[in-house]
Amino acid sequence: MCADFEILCAQWLHAIISKGVFNMIKTHEVEQMTCVAKGCNHGPAPIPEEGKWIQAKEIKDISGYTHGIGWCAPQQGTCKLSLNVKEGVIQEALVETIGCTGMTHSAAMAGEILPGKTILEALNTDLVCDAINTAMRELFLQIVYGRTQSAFSEGGLSIGAGLEDLGKGLRSQTGTIFSTLEKGPRYLELTEGYILKLALDADDQIIGYQYLKIGPMLDQIKSGKDANEAYQANIGTYGRFDNAARYIDPRKE
């Protein structure tokens, strides 16, 4: 029985090699070894993907929507990358960067490169900026392990889901705060938008602020609305802005 098995092994290997599937170089020691039958083979552990449990064996078995961050080698900038992957192929990419000025242009190029590539191709493609490359590496790990935002959502998220992260006006959610020991904090930009004024109480503590929603304002101007009217229509306040002892321009005062 064992001899018959060895013959079958040899015939099977010869058939594969003759077809050019692979031609592996083996050491003399391995050549002299007898064939031992492989026992249990349960395959890969199933991972959660878009409402299903999948045994991922090939790239096309991978689907999911997720986002994560990466950083450049000198740690002077970062990238938040969002990917929507269907059957191994990137269908949607949202690239947001903060740091050096060159990162914005790198993001523009990465946005052209990513859609249409498999996640394995994207992992091994130069995405121009270290931070974007690192983000792609981190997202690859999340996606192939099933740690995605859509892991338990049947059918996954629709293409275009990344735009929901941006809100009205399609602008990145950016927080910009400058602070010194001597002069204290300055809110410059928050989720609501560009900060126009800070409201201070009698102890000079911040109790609110006035902001400008830049995205909606620009949309209205593009639609033909007078610029000053659009500006005034998109000003809002947060906190106890109306109860302040005084107001300051965070960029000048």
Side-chain angles (χ1 to χ4, degrees), residues 58-211:
E58 301 178 43
I59 289 296
K60 66 180 181 62
D61 296 330
I62 301 293
S63 296
Y65 176 92
T66 193
H67 34 217
I69 61 168
W71 51 94
C72 60
Q75 300 188 41
Q76 294 176 343
T78 186
C79 166
K80 178 190 173 189
L81 180 62
S82 304
L83 296 179
N84 202 342
V85 178
K86 303 292 185 183
E87 297 182 349
V89 178
I90 297 172
Q91 300 291 337
E92 172 191 6
L94 172 63
V95 189
E96 302 172 86
T97 60
I98 183 170
C100 71
T101 54
M103 295 180 72
T104 60
H105 296 85
S106 299
M109 288 182 275
E112 295 189 30
I113 294 169
L114 286 167
K117 288 191 178 295
T118 68
I119 54 173
L120 184 59
E121 285 181 295
L123 182 67
N124 289 283
T125 297
D126 181 9
L127 300 176
V128 189
C129 170
D130 278 351
I132 305 175
N133 284 316
T134 304
M136 182 64 228
R137 181 193 70 198
E138 298 302 309
L139 261 66
F140 180 88
L141 294 174
Q142 292 182 37
I143 295 168
V144 297
Y145 284 132
R147 272 64 169 177
T148 61
Q149 183 175 320
S150 56
F152 301 103
S153 302
E154 187 173 357
L157 300 183
S158 58
I159 308 304
L163 295 178
E164 296 179 6
D165 289 347
L166 302 179
K168 293 181 180 179
L170 301 183
R171 285 174 54 84
S172 296
Q173 302 298 302
T174 305
T176 307
I177 313 297
F178 178 73
S179 182
T180 63
L181 177 61
E182 182 179 354
K183 299 296 183 179
R186 298 292 188 277
Y187 299 173
L188 302 177
E189 187 146 357
L190 297 173
T191 299
E192 294 85 358
Y194 179 95
I195 304 303
L196 299 172
K197 294 180 181 179
L198 293 181
L200 306 181
D201 64 11
D203 297 321
D204 284 338
Q205 294 181 348
I206 298 173
I207 59 172
Y209 49 83
Q210 183 185 63
Y211 59 85

